[in-house]
Amino acid sequence: MIRIIKAEFAKSSPSIAEALDEGVTEVLFLGRSNVGKSSLINALCSKKQLAKSSSTPGKTQLINFFDIAYEDEEKKRFNARFVDLPGFGYAKVSKEKKKQWEESLNTFIKKRVSARLFIHLIDARHIELEIDKSVGEYIDSILKADQRILNIYTKADKLTQKECSAILKDKNALLVSVLKKRGINEANERIFNLLFGKEI
Ligand SMILES: Nc1nc2c(ncn2[C@@H]2O[C@H](COP(=O)(O)OP(=O)(O)O)[C@@H](O)[C@H]2O)c(=O)[nH]1
Ligand SMILES: [Mg+2]
């Protein structure tokens, strides 16, 4: 089994200009405010307080970087970086501010050549939101040959069995619940394989 053997906070950047230098294989986590991004990062890393899960969503617009090391079955080590991007679509900031932020986020996503994987988190209870569709289309439109997208559906514990099955009809879909610790190992395996494995 693939394990994360190191997960450390590296930096918070208030702007793209202050982002960490590139070079390390990066996973960019995207999703609406409150979708469960920070909770998932913590669960993947088995560290409760790594990414701060906030009760006031959207308040701070920071890009958070985490240094990650995976270990495979043969005890080989693989370094990566998780990038927790600010949640989009938060209602309580001004339209102007929202637009500014979206533009700078778009620039970051587009220009970040170290990004190998975009993880788009979608609330499993609301899978057809316009904002998620447009984010998905945007990533598709800027995706380079060496980059991949993975959709992860969050808060599976809020769904009925029938609703879970409907989502899992899509063979690429990953359904997770941090609350019930469901799908976390599977998500780690999939992320690792997309970054370093043969799965393309
Ligand atoms: N029921 C349930 N709640 C969750 C789950 N994951 C996160 N949450 C809750 O959703 C809220 C937002 O989570 P957070 O990780 O801060 O979301 P972020 O804004 O996307 O980083 C918090 O109250 C979490 O406890 C989950 O798997 N199930
Ligand atoms: Mg968060």
Side-chain angles (χ1 to χ4, degrees), residues 33-39 41 51-54 57-58 64 84-87:
S33 259
N34 227 32
V35 72
K37 233 160 10 88
S38 301
S39 304
I41 290 173
K52 296 208 172 51
S53 174
S54 164
N64 293 311
D84 186 5
L85 294 167

Side-chain angles (χ1 to χ4, degrees), residues 110-132:
K110 199 167 165 177
K111 295 210 169 144
R112 196 77 181 167
V113 293
S114 294
R116 288 289 171 281
L117 178 61
F118 296 95
I119 298 188
H120 183 187
L121 275 75
I122 300 160
D123 190 319
R125 293 166 298 176
H126 314 287
I127 57 174
E128 298 285 342
L129 295 182
E130 231 16 83
I131 181 121
D132 281 320

Side-chain angles (χ1 to χ4, degrees), residues 12-149:
S12 282
S13 313
S15 75
I16 284 153
E18 288 157 75
L20 283 182
D21 287 346
E22 302 201 51
V24 182
T25 297
E26 287 179 336
V27 182
L28 271 53
F29 290 81
L30 288 141
R32 288 190 307 126
S33 259
N34 227 32
V35 72
K37 233 160 10 88
S38 301
S39 304
L40 180 64
I41 290 173
N42 291 340
L44 291 171
C45 300
S46 313
K47 270 196 173 177
K48 278 212 167 76
Q49 301 294 333
L50 186 66
K52 296 208 172 51
S53 174
S54 164
S55 52
T56 47
K59 204 179 167 201
T60 46
Q61 301 277 5
L62 295 170
I63 305 170
N64 293 311
F65 295 89
F66 304 95
D67 289 327
I68 302 294
Y70 289 95
E71 192 183 78
D72 71 3
E73 288 86 352
E74 288 136 37
K75 302 243 179 267
K76 248 174 88 180
R77 198 179 156 117
F78 298 80
N79 292 325
R81 194 185 273 155
F82 284 178
V83 184
D84 186 5
L85 294 167
F88 48 77
Y90 183 58
K92 283 185 186 162
V93 293
S94 71
K95 260 199 167 147
E96 191 49 37
K97 226 182 151 202
K98 213 185 214 171
K99 207 175 144 211
Q100 266 175 24
W101 181 254
E102 268 158 26
E103 276 167 19
S104 79
L105 193 59
N106 287 354
T107 313
F108 182 80
I109 292 170
K110 199 167 165 177
K111 295 210 169 144
R112 196 77 181 167
V113 293
S114 294
R116 288 289 171 281
L117 178 61
F118 296 95
I119 298 188
H120 183 187
L121 275 75
I122 300 160
D123 190 319
R125 293 166 298 176
H126 314 287
I127 57 174
E128 298 285 342
L129 295 182
E130 231 16 83
I131 181 121
D132 281 320
K133 276 188 201 163
S134 58
V135 166
E137 281 164 16
Y138 181 74
I139 305 172
D140 269 333
S141 77
I142 55 103
L143 208 66
K144 299 181 181 74
D146 63 351
Q147 295 177 323
R148 300 285 175 269
I149 303 180

